[in-house]
Amino acid sequence: LSNEFKFPVASIHHAGETYLVPELLKKTWGGAPSMALFASNARKKREAYRNSEFAPKILAENGFSIIMKSDHPVLNSRYLMYEAQQAHYYGLDANLALLSVTSTPAKTAGVGHRVGSLGVGYDADVVIWDSHPLSLGATPVQVYIDGIAQIAKPEVLFKSDKLQNAPETPNWDAEAKAAVEYQGLPPLRGRKMRLGELSKTGVKFVGVKSVWMQDDDGGLRVLFDKDENHDANTRTDAVNSSSVLVLHGSLIPCTSANLELCADDKVQEVVDLQGGSVAPGLTTFGSHLGLVEILLEASTSDGIVRDPLVGSSTGHVPGAAGGDEAVMRAVDGLQFEGRNTLLAYRSGVTRAIAAPISKGFLIGLSTAFDTGASNTLERGAIVKEEAALHVTLNQLSDVSVSTQIAALRGLLYQSTSDVWKRVQRGEIPLVVNVDSADIMSTLLRLKSDYDAWSGNSIRLTFTGAAEAHLLADEISHAGVSVVITSPRPYPGSWQERRILPGPPLSRDSILTALLTKNINVAIGVRDDFDARNARFSLAWAALESNGTISKTQALQIATTNLDRALGVGRVQDIVAYRGGTMFDFESKVAGVVSMERGTIEIF
């Protein structure tokens, strides 16, 4: 059309599949358009299913100008730089990544003569960053618009010297090539082996700089970290080691005391991590991972459960399914090897906790599953069939908040169903998706009343919890867990209006505010695509805490803390990162060891 009617195209937005047809797009009348892209937001609809994180790199190598976008409120535009950071991580040149959120969009929009660059005669719109803008967690120190400072009292973070330079990102050439070769759907499985095959056993990781491991009691600790100072609890022989053996479910540092056990000819596989690290697999919760492949394509989904309280919009539960007393189980609708699921797995997220898809009050029973499993029958695929019972309470329902509270009170005090009896006895957590501090305070009072009346203590967890910081003392006193599904929040609705924005606008983030009160806090996600970015969220949380959250504590936020909040046992998986740690933009996953499935998968 552009050639037929002779009109130019300044930019193609979303542009998810443009990297597959660069030669065609170069024929656009008047010259090739710029490409406005997301970094990893993909697969929500059919036309975005073949989106690739390597699209910015591929298109730039074909001569196209790259723009990274937010499509606010799809993505929070406050963190537009994070899109550029991810594009750089996946192979876009550092200079082009910076241009993608500054001068390139300005020129494309026709205002490049005034904004997007620093120079004499340009508008004095300037951002001062606490670290290199492409480093993870980079935060503005001050923002000037027309030369006027916009932040009255900025909360400034300390950042290390290392973060003052652009990260040395991994090489993704092979993956980018495969994305094009397979028309956007490259194979996501690695080379898989059974642990203990033939006469050899275990896998040996060499070139290791840091190791985190889980104790028998489920706690996490650092075995060694050569980039950090060590306390008296750190094993000296481990610090002097640069390789570890994974054997019979244990991590063993290779030292002079076990040279024979660690000999290369005694193990199945030797993997060089090139200064990398080894850590437990992460857990994700909050999205529909494992229950839907393309969010806006109903045929790819488990479907929406019917709700007994708001049946007018979803229909009542059929009698054949148990009627309105029935509680649906997510485990019965699981789908394995979806692309979002496998991308999360390849990024170190080895298990997911999923609740049924619901638009009503009663969601159902969540399940925990292995993101690397092939089907529900595979050994270790189902970590826990029924993890917790989930409900939603909010002001957007078809019925009033008071009606929702009345329904929950009635079920706690009166229900004789097996599922609710387990909640009443404290055998499984009651997980409430809630953002409003007002509703949370009512729930805390309900828990107190019920516990006093019954002599039991219900295990209550808040998820979403955008305003939980306003009740930090009360939540701590009640022993309630909190799963923050938007650790970098945005007030997208009335019940989220009182968020704690975090630095530079506030000293505390919602995570630090809750952790300070000794609350069991974890991080989740809201979107399926974002599950793969769990390790970046953990690192960001630590970086914006000004040293109050250690690496071990950050790791707990998506492992032991999340498992405790949602009623799941200890992590059994081990993830090896090549080139760096799980906390930076310099590493990528080299392999995953699944103790439950008895496999190692090398990427």
Side-chain angles (χ1 to χ4, degrees), residues 221-225 229-239:
R221 66 183 179 91
V222 58
L223 184 62
F224 63 85
D225 185 351
N229 294 324
H230 302 285
D231 57 32
N233 296 320
T234 306
R235 288 178 50 178
T236 304
D237 60 344
V239 174

Side-chain angles (χ1 to χ4, degrees), residues 496-528:
E496 301 170 291
R497 70 192 184 280
R498 297 174 290 185
I499 62 164
L500 191 60
L505 302 179
S506 64
R507 182 189 65 182
D508 281 321
S509 67
I510 186 170
L511 281 163
T512 56
L514 297 177
L515 286 169
T516 300
K517 300 297 182 179
N518 296 315
I519 297 170
N520 182 54
V521 185
I523 282 181
V525 297
R526 293 190 175 182
D527 297 295
D528 302 345

Side-chain angles (χ1 to χ4, degrees), residues 111-126:
V111 292
H113 61 291
R114 287 190 53 180
V115 298
S117 300
L118 297 178
V120 176
Y122 283 78
D123 291 7
D125 299 343
V126 180

Side-chain angles (χ1 to χ4, degrees), residues 87-109:
H88 177 237
Y89 174 69
Y90 288 114
L92 183 63
D93 178 81
N95 290 335
L96 295 180
L98 287 174
L99 292 176
S100 74
V101 291
T102 54
S103 64
T104 302
K107 291 176 182 177
T108 301

Side-chain angles (χ1 to χ4, degrees), residues 561-582:
N561 290 12
L562 186 55
D563 297 335
R564 188 180 306 120
L566 299 175
V568 181
R570 59 175 294 188
V571 180
Q572 296 289 338
D573 305 313
I574 295 169
V575 179
Y577 298 87
R578 178 177 286 118
T581 73
M582 62 179 293

Side-chain angles (χ1 to χ4, degrees), residues 19 25 130 135 150 169 202 256 295 339 351 367 474 524 581 589:
Y19 71 100
L25 294 168
D130 63 6
S135 66
Q150 300 297 301
T169 57
S256 57
L295 183 63
R339 298 197 72 79
R351 62 182 181 179
T367 188
E474 292 81 358
T581 73
V589 172

Side-chain angles (χ1 to χ4, degrees), residues 136 212 535 538-539 543 551-552 554-555 581-585 587:
L136 185 59
W212 285 267
R535 68 188 184 99
L538 302 185
L543 287 166
K551 289 180 180 179
T552 301
L555 181 55
T581 73
M582 62 179 293
F583 299 104
D584 57 52
F585 274 144
S587 69

